[in-house]
């Protein structure tokens, strides 16, 4: 089965009650049983079933299984948001005194989070890019994880997953990647050696911009050595399921970062068209990047452009596609605002992965809490516009952007 067929008919798709073609939305907090004994069994994982939606729920389960299959993982856990997924994926393995190595071209909220984790004794060392050369000097005895985005948002650096995962594994360290911008349609990071994959499923997986959510997928392949990861001692018995068992029975359940049933359903129906949308979005983005690059003082950054340093990785690792985001440098903040205000179709909104094209000026919005240096490292300048390309007709988008650019002062 290829991607779209697997999406619609894979193992994760079950028979639902009454022949329904989609999972029912179990919009409940709790599940009742005939007897106290029955509930006791379910509660203590000695019988299959659901007890309470913070811990598990059928439609959430259906969503998790589907993402897990697409990513080729062992288990998946859905979360209330992408930030909750990033946070819990890391806290599941970290303790006070531990260090994270992270790329600097990350989503602004994730960089902010690493600042917040300092109060809990967890420090982050930033590498300009997640490459073997950049991370090697940052590794210490305390390094417990390397974290990066497969395609950085908004830096648009691409991680060489195979090279980096081989290197970090040789040091006994796992690689956790945020693959929100790449999606499983471009790459399954686990097949290239990543140990855990997280998504803000608010973006491309949902696709319609109608629900906030996140998901964590574990490969089951990393061996969590008790000396380096003492918290895993009691979970060794779960073998390949150790990471997910620890997450479900620990920090995820107790912090209460569960996904709402209705939002799981919205993701479930949205992801039916993930492959179709990504095809259209990636071809629109490439055409748009080509059309605006070099026009009236504008330069475009897009991984699939011929002159982009990541073009070879786009070919070898991302199925030839550059994703749905491009950034443009337009000369000044004034010109950036002038361009954004002139566009007919692109909405001024802080999101990505919508079917509608969205634009934002990152320096005055998403990056407002970050330092100048953090902005530069993430490829954000005063004149940078980020475009999240939608599924409109490409020729209309190109006409809209090129005429706005030609009119710039
Ligand atoms: C949006 C985003 C997040 C955060 O996700 P939310 O669902 O908004 O909490 C994390 N990582 C990346 C790459 C994102 O684009």
């Amino acid at each position: 089965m290829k991607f779209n067929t697997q999406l619609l008919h894979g193992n994760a798709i079950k028979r639902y009650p009454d022949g329904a073609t989609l999972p029912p939305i179990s919009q409940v907090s709790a599940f009742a049983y005939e007897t106290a004994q029955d509930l006791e069994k379910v509660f203590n994982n000695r019988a299959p079933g659901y007890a309470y939606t913070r811990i598990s729920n059928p439609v959430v389960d259906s969503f998790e299984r589907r993402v897990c299959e697409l990513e080729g993982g062992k288990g998946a856990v859905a979360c209330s948001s992408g930030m909750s997924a990033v946070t819990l994926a890391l806290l599941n393995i970290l303790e006070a005194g531990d260090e994270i190595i992270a790329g600097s071209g990350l989503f602004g909220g994730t960089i902010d989070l690493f600042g917040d984790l300092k109060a809990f004794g967890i420090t982050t060392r930033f590498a300009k890019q997640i490459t073997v050369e950049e991370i090697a000097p940052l590794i210490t005895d305390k390094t417990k994880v390397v974290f990066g985005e497969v395609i950085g948002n908004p830096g648009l650096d691409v991680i060489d997953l195979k090279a980096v995962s081989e290197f970090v594994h040789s040091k006994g360290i796992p690689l956790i990647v945020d693959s929100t911008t790449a999606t499983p349609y471009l790459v399954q990071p686990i097949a290239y050696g990543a140990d855990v994959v997280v998504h803000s499923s608010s973006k491309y997986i949902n696709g319609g911009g109608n629900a906030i959510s996140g998901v964590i997928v574990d490969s089951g392949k990393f061996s969590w050595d008790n000396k380096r990861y003492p918290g895993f001692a009691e979970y060794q018995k779960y073998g390949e399921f150790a990471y997910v068992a620890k997450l479900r029975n620990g920090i995820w359940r107790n912090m209460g970062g569960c996904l709402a049933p209705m939002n799981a359903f919205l993701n479930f129906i949205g992801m039916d068209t993930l492959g179709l949308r990504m095809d259209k979005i990636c071809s629109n983005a490439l055409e748009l990047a080509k059309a605006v690059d070099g026009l009236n003082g504008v330069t475009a950054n897009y991984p699939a452009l011929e002159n982009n340093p990541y073009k070879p990785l786009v070919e070898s690792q991302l199925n030839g596609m550059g994703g749905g985001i491009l950034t443009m440098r337009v000369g000044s903040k004034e010109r950036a605002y002038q361009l954004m205000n002139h566009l007919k179709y692109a909405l001024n909104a802080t999101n990505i992965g919508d079917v509608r094209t969205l634009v934002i000026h990152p320096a005055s919005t998403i990056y407002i809490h970050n330092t100048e240096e953090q902005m530069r490292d993430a490829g954000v300048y005063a004149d940078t516009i980020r475009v999240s390309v939608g599924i409109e007709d490409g020729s209309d988008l190109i006409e809209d952007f090129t005429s706005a650019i030609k009119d710039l002062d």
Side-chain angles (χ1 to χ4, degrees), residues 43-75:
F43 209 92
N44 297 307
N45 294 328
R46 282 191 281 106
Y50 302 91
Y52 190 61
T53 287
R54 173 160 52 74
I55 296 161
S56 61
N57 175 287
V59 65
V60 175
D61 216 49
S62 298
F63 168 63
E64 290 169 341
R65 284 169 192 273
R66 216 171 168 200
V67 177
C68 188
E69 183 177 12
L70 287 186
E71 288 290 8
K74 269 282 161 213

Side-chain angles (χ1 to χ4, degrees), residues 79-96:
C79 302
S80 54
S81 68
M83 284 318 304
S84 152
V86 171
T87 306
L88 297 171
L90 291 166
L91 293 187
N92 194 37
I93 59 175
L94 298 177
E95 294 184 356

Side-chain angles (χ1 to χ4, degrees), residues 227-277:
K227 285 210 191 64
R228 202 185 258 267
Y229 300 94
F232 275 83
E234 60 179 299
Y235 291 97
Q236 294 299 343
K237 60 175 186 252
Y238 293 98
E240 289 179 314
F241 295 97
Y243 178 92
V244 166
K246 182 170 189 296
L247 188 61
R248 281 199 182 279
N249 292 302
I251 199 87
W252 170 81
R253 141 193 315 213
N254 297 328
M255 279 210 169
C258 64
L259 177 58
M262 183 65 197
N263 289 355
F265 181 76
L266 291 170
N267 291 343
F268 196 93
I269 56 178
M271 69 190 290
D272 283 347
T273 56
L274 178 62
L276 277 183
R277 282 185 281 109

